[in-house]
Amino acid sequence: MINYLKKRKPKYVFVVVAYENKAMIAAAHNNGVEVVELQHGTISEYHLGYNYPNKEDKGLEYFPDKILSFGDYWKEVANYPINEKKYHIYWISLFR
């Protein structure tokens, strides 16, 4: 993957399940490639892939830069690993 990213130099990597593609996301981030996740189901405070109870920026290297979501509702349903003063997720609603 790293060789591919260095050779092709993509601007974006799209993933469907970020928590199952951590190595690819980390490699993309290390090579300056933006990672976009496509929401693939429901997200809640009980979803282990998106709920980080301690917001201390842990796990950011494995978390996408943007999420294409089903709508604005999904911004507030879990504790994402983002320190809102330093980082934020760009939410792009697929349905408006």
Side-chain angles (χ1 to χ4, degrees):
M1 174 53 79
I2 294 172
N3 290 336
Y4 178 82
L5 292 172
K6 288 181 179 181
K7 182 177 181 181
R8 296 292 181 183
K9 298 182 182 6
K11 292 182 182 179
Y12 305 97
V13 169
F14 289 87
V15 295
V16 177
V17 183
Y19 52 86
E20 289 186 0
N21 292 290
K22 291 180 180 180
M24 182 172 50
I25 292 171
H29 284 159
N30 288 336
N31 286 281
V33 179
E34 188 172 13
V35 179
V36 180
E37 180 174 9
L38 306 173
Q39 184 178 353
H40 60 284
T42 60
I43 300 171
S44 75
E45 62 182 310
Y46 305 108
H47 194 301
L48 297 177
Y50 298 97
N51 193 40
Y52 293 71
N54 298 320
K55 289 188 176 190
E56 297 176 0
D57 301 333
K58 292 180 182 175
L60 282 176
E61 64 272 16
Y62 306 115
F63 206 76
D65 300 298
K66 295 182 181 178
I67 298 176
L68 264 59
S69 72
F70 299 146
D72 291 335
Y73 165 79
W74 302 100
K75 290 181 193 179
E76 307 296 327
V77 296
N79 294 313
Y80 303 102
I82 304 298
N83 179 333
E84 295 165 8
K85 294 178 182 174
K86 292 172 141 181
Y87 306 96
H88 60 281
I89 301 172
Y90 292 92
W91 290 85
I92 303 165
S93 179
L94 296 175
F95 308 105
R96 291 197 180 212

XYZ file of all heavy atoms in Angstrom:
813
model
N 0.827 -1.190 0.000
C 0.000 0.000 0.000
C 0.871 1.254 0.000
O 0.585 2.188 -0.709
C -0.943 -0.033 1.205
C -1.758 1.235 1.381
S -2.688 1.813 -0.041
C -4.071 0.769 -0.009
N 1.908 1.263 0.808
C 2.762 2.448 0.896
C 3.431 2.723 -0.444
O 3.483 3.870 -0.892
C 3.798 2.297 2.020
C 3.073 2.272 3.376
C 4.818 3.420 1.990
C 3.961 1.942 4.538
N 3.922 1.671 -1.099
C 4.542 1.852 -2.415
C 3.543 2.401 -3.422
O 3.878 3.258 -4.240
C 5.131 0.535 -2.919
C 6.344 0.120 -2.124
O 7.016 0.950 -1.516
N 6.610 -1.171 -2.106
N 2.311 1.923 -3.370
C 1.273 2.407 -4.274
C 1.007 3.889 -4.037
O 0.913 4.677 -4.981
C -0.015 1.602 -4.093
C -1.132 2.092 -4.972
C -1.217 1.707 -6.295
C -2.099 2.963 -4.475
C -2.229 2.171 -7.106
C -3.113 3.436 -5.271
C -3.182 3.033 -6.586
O -4.178 3.509 -7.397
N 0.886 4.282 -2.776
C 0.616 5.682 -2.448
C 1.760 6.579 -2.902
O 1.530 7.682 -3.399
C 0.381 5.840 -0.947
C -0.887 5.202 -0.394
C -0.890 5.270 1.125
C -2.131 5.864 -0.963
N 2.980 6.117 -2.728
C 4.135 6.921 -3.143
C 4.229 7.022 -4.662
O 4.608 8.059 -5.198
C 5.420 6.326 -2.568
C 5.549 6.545 -1.083
C 6.834 5.975 -0.545
C 6.922 6.236 0.952
N 8.155 5.721 1.520
N 3.888 5.941 -5.352
C 3.993 5.923 -6.808
C 2.858 6.705 -7.467
O 3.081 7.520 -8.344
C 3.987 4.477 -7.314
C 4.136 4.350 -8.802
C 4.202 2.899 -9.228
C 4.371 2.809 -10.737
N 4.415 1.410 -11.172
N 1.631 6.450 -7.046
C 0.449 7.056 -7.684
C 0.089 8.437 -7.148
O -0.567 9.204 -7.818
C -0.748 6.135 -7.545
C -0.586 4.833 -8.256
C -0.588 5.050 -9.725
N -0.461 3.771 -10.413
C -0.373 3.668 -11.704
N -0.399 4.732 -12.457
N -0.243 2.492 -12.255
N 0.446 8.716 -5.912
C 0.159 9.998 -5.269
C -1.320 10.416 -5.401
O -1.633 11.479 -5.925
C 1.063 11.087 -5.820
C 2.531 10.852 -5.578
C 3.347 12.004 -6.109
C 4.795 11.918 -6.007
N 5.576 10.919 -5.601
N -2.238 9.587 -4.892
C -3.657 9.958 -4.971
C -3.957 11.127 -4.035
O -3.244 11.358 -3.059
C -4.380 8.693 -4.516
C -3.412 8.030 -3.606
C -2.048 8.328 -4.190
N -5.016 11.851 -4.328
C -5.446 12.948 -3.461
C -6.337 12.436 -2.334
O -6.358 12.989 -1.254
C -6.206 13.987 -4.271
C -5.344 14.732 -5.249
C -6.143 15.775 -5.987
C -5.277 16.483 -7.002
N -6.022 17.481 -7.750
N -7.094 11.371 -2.626
C -8.050 10.839 -1.675
C -7.997 9.318 -1.655
O -7.693 8.687 -2.665
C -9.493 11.211 -2.051
C -9.722 12.670 -2.234
C -9.706 13.250 -3.494
C -9.972 13.492 -1.134
C -9.921 14.600 -3.667
C -10.192 14.850 -1.302
C -10.168 15.395 -2.571
O -10.382 16.724 -2.729
N -8.344 8.758 -0.499
C -8.614 7.335 -0.361
C -10.007 7.250 0.245
O -10.297 7.898 1.247
C -7.592 6.631 0.563
C -8.036 5.229 0.901
C -6.225 6.619 -0.076
N -10.878 6.476 -0.378
C -12.234 6.287 0.129
C -12.324 4.924 0.803
O -11.876 3.923 0.239
C -13.252 6.367 -1.010
C -13.410 7.749 -1.550
C -12.581 8.211 -2.555
C -14.382 8.597 -1.051
C -12.706 9.492 -3.052
C -14.522 9.878 -1.542
C -13.675 10.329 -2.545
N -12.896 4.907 1.999
C -13.097 3.652 2.723
C -14.559 3.550 3.119
O -15.240 4.559 3.280
C -12.201 3.550 3.981
C -10.742 3.500 3.609
C -12.468 4.665 4.960
N -15.018 2.318 3.260
C -16.393 2.104 3.692
C -16.438 1.807 5.184
O -17.324 2.257 5.876
C -17.058 0.972 2.878
C -18.469 0.693 3.373
C -17.096 1.354 1.398
N -15.474 1.087 5.694
C -15.429 0.749 7.117
C -14.049 1.151 7.645
O -13.093 0.404 7.522
C -15.681 -0.760 7.333
C -15.714 -1.077 8.816
C -16.968 -1.197 6.666
N -13.961 2.328 8.229
C -12.655 2.846 8.668
C -12.000 1.949 9.711
O -10.798 1.716 9.659
C -12.811 4.261 9.221
N -12.773 1.436 10.651
C -12.176 0.646 11.736
C -11.678 -0.712 11.264
O -11.009 -1.410 12.008
C -13.137 0.502 12.919
C -14.517 0.005 12.572
C -14.797 -1.358 12.489
C -15.541 0.905 12.340
C -16.053 -1.803 12.169
C -16.809 0.461 12.032
C -17.069 -0.890 11.943
O -18.321 -1.335 11.620
N -11.957 -1.093 10.038
C -11.393 -2.327 9.474
C -10.265 -2.029 8.483
O -9.714 -2.950 7.891
C -12.482 -3.154 8.805
C -13.437 -3.780 9.796
C -14.430 -4.713 9.151
O -14.395 -4.896 7.918
O -15.258 -5.260 9.888
N -9.948 -0.780 8.284
C -8.913 -0.372 7.337
C -7.885 0.546 7.994
O -7.389 1.489 7.376
C -9.558 0.337 6.139
C -10.387 -0.604 5.311
O -9.851 -1.473 4.639
N -11.698 -0.449 5.365
N -7.557 0.286 9.241
C -6.671 1.160 10.003
C -5.284 1.286 9.384
O -4.722 2.372 9.335
C -6.562 0.673 11.445
C -7.833 0.849 12.230
C -7.675 0.354 13.642
C -8.966 0.539 14.406
N -8.858 0.083 15.777
N -4.731 0.173 8.902
C -3.386 0.225 8.317
C -3.379 1.104 7.063
O -2.463 1.900 6.853
C -2.901 -1.183 7.985
N -4.416 0.975 6.232
C -4.488 1.780 5.020
C -4.668 3.261 5.358
O -4.062 4.126 4.741
C -5.635 1.315 4.123
C -5.718 2.106 2.835
S -6.882 1.473 1.631
C -8.342 1.254 2.577
N -5.478 3.556 6.359
C -5.693 4.943 6.771
C -4.409 5.549 7.318
O -4.044 6.676 6.975
C -6.841 5.029 7.801
C -8.164 4.678 7.117
C -6.905 6.401 8.438
C -9.325 4.518 8.067
N -3.688 4.804 8.152
C -2.420 5.298 8.702
C -1.410 5.529 7.581
O -0.712 6.544 7.570
C -1.865 4.321 9.725
N -1.333 4.618 6.627
C -0.417 4.781 5.495
C -0.794 6.003 4.670
O 0.081 6.779 4.245
C -0.430 3.534 4.618
N -2.088 6.196 4.441
C -2.539 7.369 3.683
C -2.172 8.653 4.419
O -1.631 9.591 3.821
C -4.045 7.293 3.446
N -2.441 8.717 5.706
C -2.103 9.913 6.495
C -0.605 10.181 6.484
O -0.176 11.333 6.369
C -2.595 9.769 7.929
C -4.068 9.969 8.080
N -4.774 9.487 9.145
C -4.976 10.596 7.300
C -6.039 9.822 9.024
N -6.197 10.490 7.904
N 0.201 9.132 6.584
C 1.660 9.298 6.573
C 2.188 9.785 5.231
O 3.307 10.281 5.154
C 2.354 7.993 6.962
C 2.195 7.677 8.427
O 1.974 8.561 9.237
N 2.288 6.405 8.765
N 1.394 9.626 4.188
C 1.794 10.063 2.851
C 1.010 11.274 2.369
O 0.996 11.573 1.181
C 1.652 8.898 1.867
C 2.748 7.881 2.066
O 3.864 8.079 1.615
N 2.452 6.805 2.782
N 0.333 11.953 3.291
C -0.370 13.183 2.949
C -1.619 12.993 2.109
O -2.032 13.903 1.394
N -2.235 11.823 2.189
C -3.437 11.531 1.415
C -4.648 11.670 2.323
O -4.675 11.133 3.430
C -3.382 10.105 0.821
C -4.646 9.795 0.043
C -2.148 9.951 -0.055
N -5.648 12.379 1.862
C -6.867 12.588 2.635
C -7.729 11.333 2.587
O -7.885 10.719 1.538
C -7.633 13.774 2.052
C -8.800 14.208 2.857
C -9.407 15.502 2.337
O -9.070 15.934 1.221
O -10.222 16.063 3.051
N -8.298 10.961 3.737
C -9.124 9.763 3.835
C -10.580 10.171 4.035
O -10.898 10.958 4.927
C -8.669 8.858 5.002
C -9.548 7.629 5.099
C -7.209 8.482 4.842
N -11.456 9.623 3.206
C -12.882 9.909 3.268
C -13.609 8.595 3.512
O -13.413 7.627 2.784
C -13.392 10.544 1.955
C -14.883 10.832 2.033
C -12.606 11.802 1.633
N -14.447 8.571 4.535
C -15.244 7.372 4.805
C -16.670 7.584 4.333
O -17.246 8.654 4.507
C -15.255 7.022 6.295
C -16.074 5.777 6.567
C -16.013 5.287 7.998
O -15.473 6.002 8.854
O -16.509 4.192 8.254
N -17.236 6.541 3.752
C -18.634 6.545 3.353
C -19.424 5.865 4.467
O -19.137 4.719 4.817
C -18.820 5.774 2.043
C -17.948 6.221 0.882
C -18.111 5.273 -0.295
C -18.275 7.636 0.481
N -20.396 6.567 5.024
C -21.182 5.962 6.097
C -21.894 4.743 5.536
O -22.503 4.783 4.475
C -22.201 6.955 6.664
C -22.964 6.389 7.842
C -23.931 7.384 8.443
O -23.967 8.550 8.091
N -24.727 6.912 9.391
N -21.805 3.636 6.266
C -22.327 2.369 5.767
C -23.425 1.788 6.641
O -23.931 0.708 6.358
C -21.176 1.357 5.671
C -20.522 1.102 6.987
N -19.654 2.006 7.550
C -20.623 0.084 7.849
C -19.247 1.537 8.708
N -19.820 0.375 8.922
N -23.793 2.481 7.690
C -24.835 1.982 8.591
C -25.055 2.969 9.710
O -24.665 4.131 9.618
N -25.669 2.496 10.769
C -25.965 3.384 11.886
C -24.737 3.562 12.775
O -23.899 2.675 12.887
C -27.131 2.847 12.744
O -26.777 1.573 13.260
C -28.398 2.756 11.920
N -24.665 4.718 13.401
C -23.607 5.050 14.349
C -24.309 5.455 15.637
O -25.311 6.173 15.600
C -22.737 6.220 13.830
C -22.074 5.852 12.512
C -21.704 6.623 14.869
C -21.371 7.013 11.836
N -23.779 4.995 16.755
C -24.367 5.377 18.035
C -23.279 5.441 19.084
O -22.131 5.084 18.829
C -25.444 4.368 18.466
O -24.838 3.182 18.938
N -23.667 5.845 20.276
C -22.708 5.894 21.377
C -22.262 4.500 21.792
O -21.289 4.354 22.528
C -23.307 6.628 22.575
C -24.537 5.946 23.151
C -25.143 6.717 24.294
O -24.407 7.103 25.234
O -26.362 6.931 24.253
N -22.916 3.474 21.307
C -22.564 2.087 21.632
C -21.743 1.407 20.540
O -21.315 0.274 20.713
C -23.835 1.278 21.897
C -24.689 1.912 22.958
C -25.884 2.530 22.628
C -24.281 1.929 24.293
C -26.660 3.141 23.600
C -25.049 2.542 25.269
C -26.233 3.140 24.913
O -26.993 3.750 25.877
N -21.518 2.099 19.443
C -20.758 1.517 18.332
C -19.274 1.637 18.641
O -18.738 2.741 18.744
C -21.088 2.249 17.033
C -20.636 1.537 15.808
N -19.323 1.227 15.576
C -21.332 1.082 14.744
C -19.224 0.612 14.411
N -20.432 0.502 13.896
N -18.591 0.501 18.797
C -17.189 0.514 19.216
C -16.255 1.103 18.163
O -15.152 1.544 18.491
C -16.740 -0.904 19.573
C -17.476 -1.538 20.747
C -17.001 -2.971 20.954
C -17.293 -0.718 22.010
N -16.666 1.144 16.915
C -15.814 1.689 15.866
C -15.786 3.207 15.816
O -14.883 3.797 15.224
N -16.755 3.848 16.453
C -16.851 5.309 16.361
C -16.936 6.000 17.710
O -16.887 7.223 17.767
C -18.071 5.708 15.527
C -17.973 5.195 14.124
C -18.595 4.024 13.749
C -17.206 5.870 13.184
C -18.479 3.535 12.463
C -17.076 5.392 11.899
C -17.714 4.224 11.546
O -17.578 3.745 10.276
N -17.085 5.273 18.774
C -17.265 5.890 20.079
C -15.965 5.816 20.878
O -15.508 4.748 21.254
C -18.391 5.196 20.845
C -18.807 5.990 22.055
O -18.882 7.204 22.009
N -19.085 5.309 23.132
N -15.366 6.955 21.129
C -14.130 7.081 21.897
C -14.462 7.895 23.147
O -14.561 9.113 23.079
C -13.063 7.803 21.076
C -12.592 7.031 19.874
C -13.407 6.857 18.762
C -11.312 6.484 19.844
C -12.967 6.152 17.649
C -10.866 5.787 18.735
C -11.700 5.622 17.653
O -11.265 4.933 16.560
N -14.649 7.250 24.288
C -15.101 7.960 25.486
C -14.153 9.056 25.964
O -14.584 10.044 26.511
C -15.231 6.868 26.543
C -14.983 5.582 25.878
C -14.492 5.837 24.507
N -12.843 8.877 25.771
C -11.871 9.889 26.185
C -11.393 10.639 24.956
O -10.617 10.111 24.170
C -10.680 9.241 26.899
C -11.104 8.530 28.155
O -11.945 9.024 28.881
N -10.551 7.361 28.383
N -11.838 11.864 24.806
C -11.439 12.657 23.641
C -10.071 13.276 23.885
O -9.947 14.419 24.260
C -12.460 13.750 23.371
C -13.760 13.244 22.844
C -14.621 14.415 22.434
C -15.899 13.940 21.818
N -16.643 15.004 21.197
N -9.035 12.495 23.687
C -7.674 12.989 23.861
C -6.879 12.846 22.575
O -5.672 12.659 22.584
C -6.992 12.210 24.992
C -7.658 12.416 26.331
C -7.038 11.557 27.412
O -6.099 10.800 27.125
O -7.502 11.642 28.556
N -7.556 12.901 21.452
C -6.934 12.782 20.134
C -6.262 11.434 19.921
O -5.417 11.290 19.057
C -5.919 13.903 19.882
C -6.546 15.273 19.956
O -7.758 15.380 19.699
O -5.843 16.229 20.264
N -6.605 10.438 20.717
C -6.047 9.099 20.516
C -6.784 8.437 19.366
O -8.001 8.472 19.286
C -6.188 8.266 21.784
C -5.329 8.774 22.913
C -5.492 7.923 24.149
C -4.659 8.502 25.267
N -4.853 7.807 26.522
N -6.044 7.837 18.498
C -6.651 7.131 17.384
C -6.845 7.965 16.133
O -7.386 7.484 15.153
N -6.407 9.217 16.136
C -6.614 10.066 14.958
C -5.893 9.549 13.721
O -6.360 9.733 12.609
C -6.165 11.502 15.244
C -7.120 12.341 16.062
C -6.519 13.705 16.345
C -8.445 12.491 15.355
N -4.751 8.898 13.915
C -4.021 8.391 12.754
C -4.788 7.275 12.057
O -4.509 6.943 10.920
C -2.617 7.921 13.133
C -2.577 6.743 14.078
C -2.608 7.119 15.552
O -2.956 8.254 15.910
O -2.295 6.244 16.363
N -5.792 6.706 12.744
C -6.598 5.638 12.173
C -8.007 6.088 11.829
O -8.835 5.279 11.443
C -6.689 4.464 13.157
C -5.353 3.958 13.608
C -4.968 4.071 14.932
C -4.471 3.379 12.710
C -3.730 3.610 15.352
C -3.231 2.919 13.118
C -2.875 3.035 14.433
O -1.656 2.583 14.839
N -8.290 7.359 11.991
C -9.638 7.875 11.782
C -9.674 8.694 10.489
O -8.722 9.416 10.191
C -10.055 8.738 12.978
C -11.531 8.801 13.181
C -12.211 7.731 13.732
C -12.242 9.921 12.811
C -13.579 7.785 13.921
C -13.603 9.986 12.988
C -14.290 8.917 13.555
N -10.754 8.615 9.727
C -10.818 9.359 8.458
C -10.834 10.871 8.673
O -11.211 11.368 9.732
C -12.130 8.880 7.833
C -12.948 8.394 8.962
C -11.981 7.868 9.986
N -10.434 11.600 7.624
C -10.456 13.064 7.673
C -11.855 13.606 7.441
O -12.221 14.651 7.955
C -9.522 13.637 6.599
C -8.103 13.179 6.798
O -7.533 13.499 7.847
O -7.576 12.485 5.915
N -12.620 12.898 6.635
C -13.984 13.315 6.314
C -14.888 12.099 6.333
O -14.440 10.980 6.104
C -14.055 13.954 4.919
C -13.290 15.238 4.797
C -13.442 15.820 3.409
C -12.639 17.105 3.310
N -12.716 17.696 1.979
N -16.168 12.347 6.611
C -17.163 11.289 6.555
C -18.321 11.770 5.692
O -18.887 12.826 5.959
C -17.673 10.914 7.960
C -16.536 10.370 8.815
C -18.818 9.917 7.869
C -16.920 10.059 10.238
N -18.640 11.017 4.667
C -19.840 11.276 3.880
C -20.964 10.556 4.597
O -21.000 9.329 4.627
C -19.703 10.739 2.459
C -19.269 11.716 1.388
C -17.950 12.338 1.684
C -19.318 11.098 0.033
N -21.848 11.317 5.222
C -22.869 10.716 6.079
C -24.246 10.806 5.446
O -24.453 11.480 4.439
C -22.898 11.416 7.440
O -23.452 12.704 7.325
N -25.185 10.137 6.102
C -26.569 10.153 5.655
C -27.261 11.466 6.009
O -28.387 11.696 5.594
C -27.342 8.995 6.273
C -26.812 7.637 5.913
C -26.872 6.607 6.821
C -26.252 7.383 4.671
C -26.397 5.343 6.498
C -25.773 6.130 4.342
C -25.845 5.103 5.259
N -26.627 12.323 6.779
C -27.225 13.603 7.156
C -26.563 14.184 8.386
O -25.709 13.562 9.022
N -26.955 15.389 8.743
C -26.351 16.104 9.859
C -26.592 15.435 11.212
O -25.821 15.624 12.148
C -26.872 17.542 9.913
C -26.367 18.374 8.747
O -25.301 18.032 8.198
O -27.040 19.350 8.378
N -27.637 14.664 11.337
C -27.960 13.985 12.590
C -26.773 13.182 13.123
O -26.546 13.119 14.334
C -29.160 13.052 12.374
C -29.365 12.055 13.479
C -29.987 12.437 14.671
C -28.940 10.740 13.356
C -30.170 11.530 15.693
C -29.112 9.825 14.378
C -29.727 10.223 15.541
O -29.904 9.322 16.559
N -25.999 12.585 12.243
C -24.946 11.649 12.628
C -23.725 12.329 13.250
O -22.867 11.656 13.811
C -24.545 10.810 11.423
C -25.741 10.094 10.895
C -26.499 10.471 9.809
C -26.375 8.951 11.447
N -27.550 9.607 9.661
C -27.502 8.663 10.656
C -26.099 8.139 12.526
C -28.336 7.597 10.916
C -26.935 7.072 12.786
C -28.044 6.814 11.982
N -23.654 13.630 13.223
C -22.529 14.349 13.824
C -22.473 14.187 15.339
O -21.406 14.184 15.929
C -22.635 15.849 13.538
C -22.415 16.252 12.131
C -22.546 17.766 12.046
C -22.640 18.235 10.636
N -22.796 19.677 10.546
N -23.615 14.098 15.970
C -23.706 14.176 17.430
C -23.997 12.849 18.120
O -24.139 12.818 19.320
C -24.813 15.170 17.812
C -24.685 16.530 17.182
C -23.439 17.278 17.613
O -23.003 17.105 18.768
O -22.893 18.024 16.792
N -24.065 11.742 17.394
C -24.543 10.504 17.999
C -23.462 9.671 18.689
O -23.776 8.683 19.337
C -25.302 9.630 16.969
C -26.554 10.337 16.503
C -24.405 9.264 15.818
N -22.199 10.045 18.555
C -21.122 9.280 19.186
C -20.010 10.229 19.625
O -19.976 11.394 19.229
C -20.572 8.231 18.223
N -19.101 9.707 20.425
C -17.932 10.475 20.866
C -16.769 10.149 19.939
O -16.008 9.221 20.184
C -17.562 10.109 22.312
C -18.617 10.537 23.290
O -19.091 11.659 23.232
N -19.002 9.651 24.168
N -16.644 10.908 18.884
C -15.584 10.681 17.905
C -14.236 11.115 18.504
O -14.197 11.966 19.382
C -15.886 11.455 16.624
C -17.222 11.077 16.035
C -18.331 11.890 16.200
C -17.369 9.890 15.340
C -19.559 11.532 15.681
C -18.594 9.527 14.819
C -19.691 10.352 14.993
O -20.904 9.991 14.485
N -13.123 10.576 18.021
C -11.813 10.862 18.637
C -11.231 12.202 18.212
O -10.061 12.310 17.892
C -10.948 9.712 18.123
C -11.488 9.459 16.772
C -12.977 9.627 16.922
N -12.039 13.209 18.236
C -11.617 14.511 17.736
C -11.668 15.529 18.866
O -12.692 15.693 19.517
C -12.555 14.985 16.602
C -12.608 13.947 15.476
C -12.155 16.343 16.074
C -11.306 13.686 14.786
N -10.558 16.188 19.094
C -10.543 17.320 20.002
C -11.050 18.499 19.181
O -10.385 18.963 18.270
C -9.129 17.590 20.508
C -9.059 18.769 21.434
O -9.880 19.695 21.364
N -8.086 18.766 22.309
N -12.228 18.958 19.492
C -12.887 19.956 18.653
C -12.123 21.277 18.566
O -12.331 22.058 17.651
C -14.316 20.167 19.140
C -15.150 18.910 18.950
C -16.436 18.924 19.732
O -16.777 19.974 20.311
O -17.082 17.872 19.775
N -11.236 21.540 19.520
C -10.451 22.770 19.460
C -9.325 22.657 18.441
O -8.870 23.652 17.911
C -9.869 23.091 20.842
C -10.926 23.431 21.856
C -10.317 23.690 23.209
C -11.420 23.974 24.212
N -10.918 24.089 25.564
N -8.857 21.436 18.178
C -7.742 21.237 17.261
C -8.166 20.679 15.907
O -7.613 21.030 14.889
C -6.744 20.255 17.877
C -6.014 20.742 19.076
C -5.242 19.558 19.618
C -3.894 19.889 20.106
N -3.191 18.714 20.603
N -9.101 19.756 15.931
C -9.485 19.043 14.725
C -10.998 19.031 14.592
O -11.707 19.254 15.551
C -9.026 17.579 14.791
C -7.569 17.402 15.081
C -7.119 17.165 16.361
C -6.637 17.467 14.058
C -5.778 16.989 16.630
C -5.284 17.306 14.322
C -4.866 17.062 15.601
O -3.543 16.900 15.855
N -11.453 18.712 13.433
C -12.866 18.439 13.268
C -13.066 17.567 12.036
O -12.248 17.540 11.139
C -13.701 19.712 13.177
C -13.339 20.615 12.046
N -12.261 21.463 12.084
C -13.900 20.805 10.839
C -12.176 22.134 10.950
N -13.146 21.747 10.173
N -14.155 16.861 12.044
C -14.509 16.028 10.909
C -15.380 16.881 10.001
O -16.263 17.584 10.459
C -15.321 14.805 11.362
C -14.528 13.966 12.347
C -15.732 13.958 10.176
C -15.326 12.862 12.969
N -15.116 16.808 8.725
C -15.991 17.467 7.771
C -17.095 16.503 7.425
O -16.842 15.411 6.932
C -15.211 17.836 6.504
C -14.184 18.904 6.726
C -12.889 18.580 7.050
C -14.541 20.231 6.630
C -11.946 19.562 7.259
C -13.597 21.232 6.839
C -12.310 20.883 7.157
O -11.376 21.851 7.372
N -18.306 16.888 7.726
C -19.450 16.038 7.440
C -20.085 16.513 6.153
O -20.385 17.685 5.988
C -20.454 16.120 8.564
C -19.959 15.471 9.805
C -19.164 16.039 10.755
C -20.150 14.134 10.194
N -18.869 15.129 11.725
C -19.469 13.945 11.415
C -20.853 13.064 9.657
C -19.475 12.745 12.097
C -20.857 11.874 10.338
C -20.171 11.727 11.534
N -20.257 15.604 5.261
C -20.878 15.927 3.978
C -22.142 15.089 3.901
O -22.085 13.862 3.878
C -19.938 15.596 2.817
C -18.605 16.342 2.998
C -20.580 15.935 1.477
C -17.486 15.841 2.148
N -23.269 15.728 3.879
C -24.535 15.009 3.873
C -24.854 14.511 2.464
O -24.833 15.266 1.507
C -25.651 15.925 4.370
O -26.878 15.250 4.336
N -25.152 13.227 2.358
C -25.529 12.661 1.071
C -26.966 13.011 0.699
O -27.309 13.068 -0.465
C -25.383 11.128 1.115
C -23.964 10.609 1.317
C -23.988 9.081 1.469
C -23.077 10.994 0.162
N -27.796 13.207 1.716
C -29.216 13.515 1.487
C -29.545 14.804 2.199
O -29.376 14.921 3.385
C -30.104 12.393 2.022
C -29.706 11.037 1.505
C -29.048 10.136 2.299
C -30.020 10.680 0.205
C -28.696 8.890 1.829
C -29.659 9.448 -0.283
C -28.997 8.549 0.524
N -30.039 15.769 1.493
C -30.414 17.038 2.132
C -31.856 17.337 1.894
O -32.458 17.066 0.967
C -29.558 18.167 1.579
C -28.155 17.996 2.038
C -27.390 19.248 1.872
N -26.067 18.928 2.363
C -25.286 19.763 2.943
N -25.638 20.982 3.105
N -24.109 19.417 3.360
